[in-house]
Amino acid sequence: MTQVLLAFVGASLVIIVSPGPDTLLVLRNAAAGGRRAAAWTTAGILAGNLAWQAAVVAGLAALVRSSETAYDVLRYLGAAYLVYLGVRSLAGWWRLRDARLPALVPEPLAPGAGPGTGASQDAVVGRRTAEEAARPWWSWAQQGLVTNLLNAKLGAFLVAFFPQFVLPGLSRTVGTLVLAAVFLTLAAAWFAVLLLAIGRLGVWIARPRVRRTIGGLSGLVLVAMGALVALGH
């Protein structure tokens, strides 16, 4: 069993760490709303991933994969949503291309924090505009959630991926549950590392020119990804 699990972990890490819409969305929202936005986007992504894992265990994802109509509907909806997010990013970049971004507002320090502490660094890293700070947490989380729920390719992939790893001594259902838990844990660990990196680079990401650049580039890539998904790639 150990060898099978190690092989599964290795294959899963390659898949999880590979750049895709989820990682791009976290970076896009980090530039737009700071580490708080990135964290809630990550929470939405993991919730959507958990929903697909549950669908795989329940056999629902297999139905989506076997039904061409259901698969295409999800695929086109997912593509449309990626294009929508990309167009929003491009619209923001275009609107601000010749304008100065609003002054960044530092977040208050945690109680008891002072100069030289990690919390003071967090305050600098977490700076964002007053308008962005006013956005509710669910507006960031729903982007990650919807992006994952409409990702028909993710469901089809999981249905094809999990059966390649059979855990000796466990039933198919229990084995799939174990694999799903491992996959989700690895995904959460990867996004934790990504959020840590965003925290370290937060001051740089908060620069107006960098934020505009990330917004424009992420918009182009999201639109391109949406088009590729619609075309079945």
Side-chain angles (χ1 to χ4, degrees):
M1 181 183 295
T2 302
Q3 291 181 341
V4 176
L5 279 176
L6 288 177
F8 179 79
V9 168
S12 297
L13 284 175
V14 171
I15 296 161
I16 292 168
V17 175
S18 299
D22 291 345
T23 301
L24 180 62
L25 187 61
V26 171
L27 294 176
R28 166 191 179 271
N29 288 353
R35 190 165 55 181
R36 169 181 170 271
W40 280 115
T41 303
T42 297
I45 289 170
L46 292 176
N49 202 297
L50 177 61
W52 272 116
Q53 304 280 4
V56 169
V57 174
L60 298 178
L63 294 177
V64 172
R65 186 169 185 259
S66 62
S67 171
E68 185 174 349
T69 300
Y71 181 84
D72 285 343
V73 168
L74 270 182
R75 180 163 61 87
Y76 287 127
L77 286 174
Y81 192 68
L82 288 176
V83 171
Y84 163 73
L85 292 177
V87 169
R88 281 187 57 181
S89 289
L90 289 173
W93 169 82
W94 181 261
R95 187 171 58 251
L96 299 171
R97 69 193 189 285
D98 296 321
R100 293 180 61 87
L101 290 179
L104 292 173
V105 180
E107 293 182 348
L109 295 177
T117 65
S120 62
Q121 176 66 16
D122 288 344
V124 175
V125 168
R127 292 183 305 172
R128 57 187 181 273
T129 64
E131 179 182 355
E132 289 160 347
R135 293 187 62 175
W137 63 268
W138 50 262
S139 68
W140 303 110
Q142 62 90 18
Q143 292 183 15
L145 177 64
V146 174
T147 299
N148 260 252
L149 291 181
L150 295 181
N151 190 350
K153 293 184 71 174
L154 174 61
F157 165 77
L158 292 177
V159 170
F161 180 60
F162 279 19
Q164 298 180 41
F165 301 88
V166 179
L167 298 177
L170 299 179
S171 67
R172 172 65 68 179
T173 301
V174 174
T176 303
L177 281 171
V178 172
L179 295 178
V182 172
F183 191 91
L184 189 64
T185 300
L186 292 173
W190 161 243
F191 281 111
V193 171
L194 185 61
L195 290 175
L196 180 61
I198 289 172
R200 296 290 185 182
L201 298 174
V203 174
W204 178 75
I205 293 176
R207 294 176 180 174
R209 181 173 296 180
V210 173
R211 295 170 63 213
R212 277 195 294 261
T213 301
I214 293 177
L217 289 177
S218 63
L220 287 173
V221 176
L222 284 170
V223 170
M225 283 184 174
L228 289 174
V229 169
L231 293 173
H233 296 290

